[in-house]
Amino acid sequence: MKCWKEGNGLRFHKGQLFIYAVTDRAWTGGRSLCGQVEEALKGGATMVQCREKSLEKKNFDQILGEAKALRELTQRYHVPLIIDDNMDLAEACNADGLHVGQDDMPAWKVREILGEDKIIGVSAQTVEQAIKAEKDGADYLGVGAVFPTSSKADAVEVEHATLRDICVAVQIPVVAIGGISAENVSQLAGTGIDGIAVISAIFAQDFPKLAAEELKKKVEAIQ
């Protein structure tokens, strides 16, 4: 299995992108976020991203408390915790890495600040963006939206042919994101992805553990 090195150790391996659970308390129906994440981890989630846009209205200490709780939880399950586009939060909770978009801080700058031992993910919608992110030092790419999605109002839909071209163009692993569900994930067969990133497909479900287990089986079937 291909791994990405940092010094004498390893930042992560691509198998940890297989079922990438992205949090959004808007889908949890008032249930405990950590409780829902733990259910996802029990069901086979291999990476967790803290993407809590609703928390941005709270003060930093409140946001940090949530992130630290998730950090403690994911450490117990030996799963990386990635913070979405919040450098201060990533540093303060000692997250495993940071994910940034095209309009955020470039990967090379993130690496400069966070150091060589952290995972850096970059969103990409085109082959050109993907190649640049790889050159800038990204460890993985999040490509999408591969299906229509309600989780991000301004998401640009990426054709599956483009997703396949991106997977061919770069050496770093690629995770598909955006509108993915147990019902449509089979349509991504043959694209070359290393995993899927999902929000509602896990956290909007009544039983996140079972949802994660089903997704894992569906992704295994298209690898």
Side-chain angles (χ1 to χ4, degrees), residues 72-83:
E72 180 181 340
L73 175 62
T74 53
Q75 282 185 310
R76 282 197 274 120
Y77 283 84
H78 307 289
V79 168
L81 175 68
I82 308 298
I83 301 296

Side-chain angles (χ1 to χ4, degrees), residues 1 7 15 23 30 33 48-49 53 62 64 72 76 91 96 112 115 119 123 136 146-147 162 165 180 193 198 205 208:
M1 179 177 289
T23 72
L33 181 62
V48 173
Q49 181 183 132
K53 299 301 183 182
Q62 289 176 300
L64 181 57
E72 180 181 340
R76 282 197 274 120
E91 290 186 298
D96 295 291
E112 189 176 90
I119 303 166
S123 297
D136 283 349
V146 295
F147 297 106
T162 300
D165 290 343
I180 299 171
I193 58 171
V198 295
Q205 308 309 306

Side-chain angles (χ1 to χ4, degrees), residues 11 100-102 104-113 115-116 118 120-123 128-141 170 172:
R11 279 199 287 270
V100 293
Q102 287 296 309
D104 303 324
M105 187 181 295
W108 66 265
K109 185 64 174 179
V110 176
R111 176 71 66 211
E112 189 176 90
I113 296 172
E116 291 298 320
K118 300 298 184 181
I120 299 174
V122 176
S123 297
E128 291 75 21
Q129 290 174 353
I131 291 173
K132 182 179 186 303
E134 182 177 37
K135 288 180 178 178
D136 283 349
D139 292 301
Y140 74 88
L141 298 173
V170 298
I172 56 177

Side-chain angles (χ1 to χ4, degrees), residues 176-194:
I177 189 169
I180 299 171
S181 68
E183 290 70 37
N184 64 21
V185 67
S186 62
Q187 296 178 38
L188 300 176
T191 57
I193 58 171
D194 296 286

Side-chain angles (χ1 to χ4, degrees), residues 7-164:
N8 295 320
L10 297 169
R11 279 199 287 270
F12 82 121
H13 58 80
K14 69 177 183 179
Q16 289 172 300
L17 290 168
F18 201 65
I19 303 295
Y20 190 161
V22 182
T23 72
D24 186 343
R25 68 181 56 248
W27 294 104
T28 62
R31 294 169 291 182
S32 161
L33 181 62
C34 276
Q36 296 298 86
V37 170
E38 184 161 21
E39 287 299 299
L41 291 167
K42 288 178 180 177
T46 54
M47 189 175 283
V48 173
Q49 181 183 132
C50 179
R51 181 184 177 271
E52 290 301 312
K53 299 301 183 182
S54 64
L55 288 182
E56 292 178 356
K57 297 179 182 178
K58 297 185 178 183
N59 65 50
F60 186 76
D61 288 341
Q62 289 176 300
I63 302 173
L64 181 57
E66 293 275 3
K68 283 184 174 180
L70 287 175
R71 173 64 169 152
E72 180 181 340
L73 175 62
T74 53
Q75 282 185 310
R76 282 197 274 120
Y77 283 84
H78 307 289
V79 168
L81 175 68
I82 308 298
I83 301 296
D84 177 58
D85 185 32
N86 191 324
M87 178 70 73
D88 292 338
L89 185 61
E91 290 186 298
C93 75
N94 192 30
D96 295 291
L98 187 73
H99 188 94
V100 293
Q102 287 296 309
D103 297 325
D104 303 324
M105 187 181 295
W108 66 265
K109 185 64 174 179
V110 176
R111 176 71 66 211
E112 189 176 90
I113 296 172
L114 288 185
E116 291 298 320
D117 63 333
K118 300 298 184 181
I119 303 166
I120 299 174
V122 176
S123 297
Q125 289 78 40
T126 68
V127 171
E128 291 75 21
Q129 290 174 353
I131 291 173
K132 182 179 186 303
E134 182 177 37
K135 288 180 178 178
D136 283 349
D139 292 301
Y140 74 88
L141 298 173
V143 177
V146 295
F147 297 106
T149 176
S150 58
S151 297
K152 189 175 181 182
D154 60 346
V156 176
E157 197 164 339
V158 175
E159 294 183 357
H160 294 178
T162 300
L163 173 62
R164 185 163 42 249

